[in-house]
Amino acid sequence: MAVRHRLIRTDPRSVWAVLEDGTRYANWVVGTSSSKPVRGHWPQLGSAIGYEVRLGPLTLHNESVVRHVVPGELLELEAKAGPLGTARVAIEIRPWGDQCLVKVDEHPLRGAGGLVHNVAVEALIQIRHRAMLARLAHLVESEAAEAEERRHLGQVVAPEPDAGGARG
């Protein structure tokens, strides 16, 4: 069972905002090239997003189905990978001071993925999760920094008296 976590320098709401946008799945999930909701209202229970995986000239069309969700805290998916089978992927978001801890837990459920699951495959999943969490962190931390910068730029600050400008 591959479990990986990362402390992300933003609040849990910012992370959840990315997770609940099915069109952004490919922005942070390693190996996907595009994604879009295909059933239901993502990420409600039973909803699904379709995504593409490109391996050289080969393009695979797969989907992930929401099997359990606690909005803002937990998203559990069944990732379907065609002949490779399916895997359970749980993404948990926990407040950690003014930051958040994101934990990804993945293990095979059905198909060839479960049959060949071993220490080597586990190591590859760990590497993939490390990259995936780094992408997610970069995405949400960059967006939080941009939002903070816009907020500061949009503030109106009254000049202090006698701070220059008009002469008396």
Side-chain angles (χ1 to χ4, degrees):
M1 188 162 65
V3 179
R4 191 107 185 133
H5 66 276
R6 181 173 177 131
L7 188 62
I8 298 181
R9 296 182 317 260
T10 189
D11 63 286
R13 287 185 317 272
S14 298
V15 174
W16 186 256
V18 171
L19 297 183
E20 73 178 349
D21 184 349
T23 63
R24 300 183 75 190
Y25 190 79
N27 294 44
W28 57 274
V29 175
V30 173
T32 59
S33 59
S34 66
S35 62
K36 66 180 179 181
V38 293
R39 249 188 342 276
H41 183 54
W42 184 265
Q44 291 179 351
L45 188 64
S47 64
I49 55 171
Y51 57 93
E52 286 185 356
V53 176
R54 292 194 181 140
L55 302 168
L58 184 63
T59 300
L60 305 172
H61 298 275
N62 297 320
E63 72 174 30
S64 288
V65 179
V66 177
R67 296 298 185 203
H68 183 74
V69 63
V70 178
E73 296 178 17
L74 179 67
L75 181 60
E76 289 191 38
L77 308 172
E78 182 173 352
K80 299 179 179 183
L84 294 177
T86 66
R88 172 191 169 267
V89 181
I91 304 163
E92 183 180 351
I93 305 168
R94 292 184 187 172
W96 200 264
D98 60 351
Q99 300 177 7
C100 68
L101 184 65
V102 178
K103 182 171 83 170
V104 178
D105 175 358
E106 178 176 350
H107 66 270
L109 292 174
R110 297 182 209 128
L115 295 174
V116 298
H117 193 233
N118 57 37
V119 174
V121 170
E122 191 79 16
L124 290 173
I125 293 171
Q126 286 287 344
I127 292 167
R128 181 174 174 262
H129 285 179
R130 183 180 322 144
M132 184 172 74
L133 286 169
R135 285 182 180 188
L136 181 61
H138 177 73
L139 184 63
V140 296
E141 289 171 356
S142 296
E143 288 178 1
E146 289 171 11
E148 184 67 15
E149 187 175 310
R150 282 192 306 273
R151 187 179 72 78
H152 285 301
L153 291 175
Q155 289 180 340
V156 176
V157 179
E160 293 184 33
D162 300 325
R167 294 184 189 205

